[in-house]
Amino acid sequence: MTPSDVKATLSFSDGSPSMELPIYKGSIGPDVIDIRKLYGQTGKFTYDPGFLSTASCNSTITYIDGDKGELLYRGYPIEQLAVNCDFLETCHLLLYGDLPNEKQKVDFTARVTNHTMVNEQMQFFLRGFRRDAHPMAIMTGLVGALSAFYHDSTDINNAQHREIAAIRLIAKMPTLVAMAYKYSMGQPYMYPRNKLSYAANFMRMMFATPCDDYEPNEVLVRAMDRIFILHADHEQNASTSTVRLCGSSGTNPFAAIAAGVACLWGPAHGGANEAALNMLEDIQRQGGVEKIGEFIKQVKDKNSSVKLMGFGHRVYKNYDPRAKLMRETCHEVLGALGLGNDPMFKLAMALEKIALEDEYFVARKLYPNVDFYSGIVQRAIGIPVALFTAIFALARTVGWIAQLNEMIADPEYKIGRPRQLFVGSVKRDVKPIGQR
Ligand code: SDX
C-alpha cells in the first residue's frame, strides 16, 4: 500500500473536531481511505451494510475492473489464462504468485495427484444423507469433516500446515464432489487414477463405473478444465469474505473452507448457475423463445421476486469476461457433441440479446455473469444441475485457500469483528411475569 499525498478531512457540522484520514493507493484500482482510527478519535462507526464501499483487506491475488469487464489473476488477464494455461498452472499462480515453469508444473502436479484419495472412512459420512440430499449439503459436511482426519495440518498459523492443507483440499475436492454424485446415483465410488489430468480424473470419477470405464473426450476435458479456471478466484466475493472472516478466528483451514462452501450455495452467489439453468428450463417448458417477453415483464415487475438469474453483478457493470469465455466454450462443447442446435443454448442467447437491448437492464448495467452460460456447458457434459454449485466450490477452493493464506501470512491481520448501528430497545427492567 502506498500512502497518497492526498488526505481526507472529515469535518462535522456540529463543530465537533474534524480529523484527517490517510489515503492509500493500490497498484491499480480505487484508492482507500484508512478509517482505522475513526472510532477512537470520533466515537463514530462507518455504516456500509453489504460492503458496497468498503475494502476489507489489501490483496495481491485477483483484481476486477468492473467498468471495463476485466479480471486479472496475479496480473494475468483471464482471457490469456483460459487459453494458454490449465487449471493446475492457475492454482500454482494463485497460491504462489506466479505461473510454474516446466519443472515446477511437474512437481506441483505430482503433489496434488498424490493427495487425490480421501480417507476410506469418509465414505461413511455419506451414508447419513438421503440419496436425494443436495450435493452442497453433502459438500458442506464432507469438507468440514476433512479436519477430523488431518490433525497434522490444522494449525493455520503454521506455514507448512497451510501449505499441505492447501494441496489436500485442491486434490480432494474433485474426489468428494464425484462421491456426492455417485452417492446420489446409487453407484459405487470410483477411485482417482493418477495417470489422468486433474479435469480428466474428475470426469472419470464422475462417469466411469466398475463395469464400464470412461474415455474422457478431449474437448469436454478442456471445457471442464476451463470452467475450473474461470471459477478459481474473484477478489473479496461473499464466500471468500466468509472464508477470511472464519479463518481470522484461527480455526483450521478445512473448517474455513467449509464455511465458504456453505456461503457459495446461495442463489445470489454460486447457486446462480443452478438457478439460471432451472430458469431456462422453465421458460423452455412454457414455450421457449416466444415466452421470453412475458418472462422479462415478470422480471421488471417489482412485485414479483423474479430475477434474471445469471445476470447482474456487484462489481461488473460491463460484460463479465468469464461469461464471454463460457459462451465460447458453449459453442465448442455443443459443436463437439453435435448439439449446435441445442434449444437451451439458443434460448440463452435470445434471452441475452433481448435483455441487453432492454432499458431496464441497460439502466442497471445488468450483463450476463459467469453463471449464465456455465450451466449449459455443464449440462452438455452430462453434469446434473444440482451438482453445478458443487463444481463451482471445487474450482473456487484454490481461491479461498490463497486468500485465507494471504490473510494469515499478513502480520497485521486480526480477528474480524464488525460493529453495528443499534436501533433496538434501550435498557429496560424485567417485569415479573404477572405484570408482563
Ligand atoms: C456470483 O461477488 C462475486 O464476485 C460473485 C461471483 C464470484 O465469482 O464469486 O462473481 C459469482 O455470485 C455471480 C452473481 C450470480 N448471481 C446471480 O446471477 C443472481 C442474480 N443477480 C442478482 O441477484 C444481483 O445482480 C447480484 C446479487 C449478483 C448483485 O446484486 P447487487 O449488487 O446487490 O445489486 P442489486 O441487487 O442492488 O441490484 C441493483 C438493481 C436492483 O433494481 P432496483 O432496486 O435498482 O430497481 O438491479 C436489479 C435489482 O432489482 N437486479 C436485477 C438483477 N440483478 C440486479 N434485476 C433482475 N435480474 C437480475 N439478475
Side-chain angles (χ1 to χ4, degrees):
M1 296 198 302
T2 313
S4 163
D5 302 335
V6 178
K7 305 279 179 235
T9 304
L10 183 61
S11 58
F12 299 93
S13 57
D14 65 356
S16 311
S18 64
M19 74 175 283
E20 209 171 69
L21 295 163
I23 293 178
Y24 292 104
K25 304 179 93 50
S27 36
I28 35 177
D31 295 351
V32 296
I33 300 172
D34 184 346
I35 56 164
R36 283 175 287 188
K37 293 195 169 56
L38 180 73
Y39 179 57
Q41 291 189 19
T42 69
K44 290 181 174 60
F45 298 139
T46 58
Y47 185 66
D48 187 14
F51 311 117
L52 285 95
S53 301
T54 297
S56 62
C57 62
N58 66 76
S59 179
T60 61
I61 300 174
T62 295
Y63 177 71
I64 301 169
D65 184 319
D67 295 328
K68 293 187 197 156
E70 270 179 5
L71 169 57
L72 309 177
Y73 288 168
R74 301 278 191 187
Y76 293 107
I78 192 68
E79 295 82 357
Q80 293 184 31
L81 292 168
V83 170
N84 300 304
C85 301
D86 66 22
F87 179 63
L88 284 187
E89 288 177 275
T90 307
C91 288
H92 187 284
L93 171 67
L94 290 169
L95 283 176
Y96 306 122
D98 222 325
L99 288 166
N101 59 32
E102 292 277 355
K103 182 180 177 324
Q104 289 165 332
K105 179 173 179 178
V106 168
D107 293 348
F108 184 71
T109 302
R111 288 169 66 218
V112 170
T113 303
N114 289 313
H115 282 280
T116 46
M117 278 208 297
V118 295
N119 187 299
E120 274 298 277
Q121 294 289 101
M122 286 294 286
Q123 62 184 292
F124 302 119
F125 284 111
L126 285 116
R127 287 183 182 169
F129 290 101
R130 288 170 38 147
R131 290 279 178 180
D132 63 352
H134 194 288
M136 286 300 275
I138 296 176
M139 288 306 294
T140 307
L142 290 183
V143 175
L146 282 174
S147 54
F149 292 89
Y150 298 110
H151 296 292
D152 66 336
S153 62
T154 53
D155 173 5
I156 203 164
N157 293 304
N158 176 321
Q160 283 69 38
H161 285 199
R162 292 201 298 271
E163 166 70 12
I164 182 58
I167 296 292
R168 280 175 166 147
L169 278 156
I170 292 166
K172 296 179 195 305
M173 283 300 273
T175 310
L176 294 176
V177 173
M179 287 174 77
Y181 172 64
K182 285 303 197 187
Y183 184 72
S184 73
M185 299 291 285
Q187 289 182 1
Y189 307 122
M190 297 305 291
Y191 287 91
R193 184 141 302 163
N194 289 358
K195 68 175 178 32
L196 294 175
S197 71
Y198 189 87
N201 209 358
F202 170 63
M203 293 170 79
R204 184 184 165 279
M205 288 190 281
M206 283 278 294
F207 300 123
T209 69
C211 322
D212 221 357
D213 213 341
Y214 170 81
E215 278 309 314
N217 165 323
E218 266 322 298
V219 172
L220 301 190
V221 170
R222 183 69 192 129
M224 193 80 255
D225 191 83
R226 177 177 287 189
I227 287 172
F228 294 159
I229 292 174
L230 297 181
H231 288 82
D233 193 48
H234 216 238
E235 286 191 3
Q236 307 311 318
N237 58 83
S239 54
T240 297
S241 300
T242 300
V243 169
R244 279 181 174 255
L245 193 57
C246 183
S248 73
S249 72
T251 189
N252 69 78
F254 304 100
I257 301 302
V261 174
C263 175
L264 187 76
W265 191 0
H269 189 18
N273 52 18
E274 176 180 356
L277 200 93
N278 289 335
M279 170 191 75
L280 289 169
E281 287 181 339
D282 283 350
I283 298 171
Q284 191 64 15
R285 251 194 309 277
Q286 291 163 32
V289 177
E290 294 72 48
K291 287 291 179 187
I292 289 179
E294 205 175 299
F295 176 74
I296 294 283
K297 212 180 289 170
Q298 282 179 47
V299 169
K300 289 154 64 171
D301 172 5
K302 280 295 163 207
N303 300 321
S304 90
S305 58
V306 176
K307 282 196 183 287
L308 179 48
M309 300 312 279
F311 259 68
H313 199 275
R314 172 62 54 75
V315 177
Y316 288 122
K317 300 309 171 194
N318 197 326
Y319 214 106
D320 181 335
R322 302 169 298 176
K324 277 186 195 149
L325 290 159
M326 200 60 81
R327 192 177 53 194
E328 280 167 31
T329 306
C330 262
H331 273 302
E332 287 163 23
V333 167
L334 295 170
L337 296 174
L339 301 171
N341 291 321
D342 177 67
M344 204 62 81
F345 185 46
K346 287 189 172 311
L347 175 64
M349 290 200 290
L351 187 51
E352 174 193 340
K353 185 173 180 311
I354 292 168
L356 294 182
E357 289 162 1
D358 185 297
E359 184 43 33
Y360 178 92
F361 294 89
V362 173
R364 291 166 178 79
K365 298 188 177 181
L366 301 176
Y367 290 86
N369 59 50
V370 68
D371 295 306
F372 189 61
Y373 286 103
S374 65
I376 299 170
V377 184
Q378 295 183 75
R379 178 176 163 272
I381 291 174
I383 291 162
V385 181
L387 210 70
F388 289 177
T389 310
I391 288 176
F392 192 152
L394 183 169
R396 185 53 58 89
T397 292
V398 62
W400 286 332
I401 298 166
Q403 298 271 353
L404 175 62
N405 288 354
E406 179 179 68
M407 175 187 77
I408 300 294
D410 176 350
E412 282 192 356
Y413 101 91
K414 295 176 180 304
I415 186 167
R417 204 295 187 195
R419 303 304 299 271
Q420 63 179 9
L421 173 67
F422 183 71
V423 293
S425 172
V426 295
K427 193 161 71 173
R428 53 181 172 160
D429 298 324
V430 174
K431 291 193 179 69
I433 192 159
Q435 295 173 31
R436 286 180 215 156

